[in-house]
Amino acid sequence: MKLNVHEKPYLPEGRHVVKITEVDEGRSENKDVPFINCRFENEDGFINQRFYLSEPGQPILAAFLKAAGIEKTEVDSKELKGKVLSIEVEERSYEDAEGKEKKIKQATHFEEAGEADTSDRF
């Protein structure tokens, strides 16, 4: 059997400099909360991260936007594509709406990428 793989692996845990390559909008399955989903990618792999547009999600969204170099209080999600930043990938457990334990990888601890030329990393 021949296998064709046309996708990068998930980024391993740890700190990575990434570029935002996709931004999608949606609503959560259970509570209908709006979110944006960003794909963070570099030569080693990718990770998707949702940012919920709710009151509890505001500090996380603010830290993410600051790390992406956006200082405005209002931004169009399309402006995020192409931004470069540093993220930490970690795994965490949570209980879903049905009470089942789930594990996910997530992007956290957003920081500016710094002055280094990162154009060869993508």
Side-chain angles (χ1 to χ4, degrees), residues 11 16-20 40-42 83-85 87 122:
L11 286 170
H16 302 274
V17 174
V18 294
K19 180 186 281 187
I20 301 169
F40 298 117
E41 187 172 352
N42 65 20
K83 298 288 185 185
V84 175
L85 66 152
I87 64 169
F122 308 104

Side-chain angles (χ1 to χ4, degrees), residues 10-16 88-92 105:
Y10 290 117
L11 286 170
E13 290 185 49
R15 182 146 301 273
H16 302 274
E88 193 169 313
V89 175
E90 63 184 27
E91 188 173 277
R92 77 170 176 94
K105 278 191 171 184

